[in-house]
Amino acid sequence: MRLAEVEAIALNIGLLVFAGFIFFIIYDLAKKSKAGKFGTLILFFALGLGLAAFLIKNIIVFIMDSNGGL
C-alpha cells in the first residue's frame, strides 16, 4: 500500500470523525439550550448545512476527477 492510499484512507476516516463530532456539538447545543424538537431540527438544518456543503463539494470534486473532468 502506498503512502498516498494510506493518506486518502486517513483523510476519509478523519472527515467522518469530524462530521460526527460536529453533529454531537449541535446536539449538545440543542440539549443545553432546551431548544425542543423543532428548535433542534432548525439547529441541525442551519448548522449542519455548512458541513453538508463541504461534504457535497468533496463528492463533486471526486466525481469530476474520476471522470476526467467535464
Side-chain angles (χ1 to χ4, degrees):
M1 191 183 278
R2 295 181 180 247
L3 180 61
E5 294 170 344
V6 173
E7 289 175 349
I9 292 170
L11 177 66
N12 289 334
I13 292 172
L15 285 175
L16 182 65
V17 169
F18 178 70
F21 185 62
I22 292 293
F23 282 118
F24 170 74
I25 290 171
I26 296 170
Y27 169 76
D28 191 48
L29 178 67
K31 186 177 175 183
K32 286 183 180 178
S33 67
K34 300 176 184 170
K37 289 183 182 180
F38 184 69
T40 302
L41 178 70
I42 295 299
L43 279 171
F44 271 104
F45 178 73
L47 298 176
L49 196 60
L51 178 63
F54 175 74
L55 295 175
I56 289 171
K57 178 198 67 103
N58 285 333
I59 292 170
I60 290 171
V61 167
F62 175 76
I63 290 171
M64 290 180 72
D65 284 345
S66 66
N67 288 337
L70 293 177

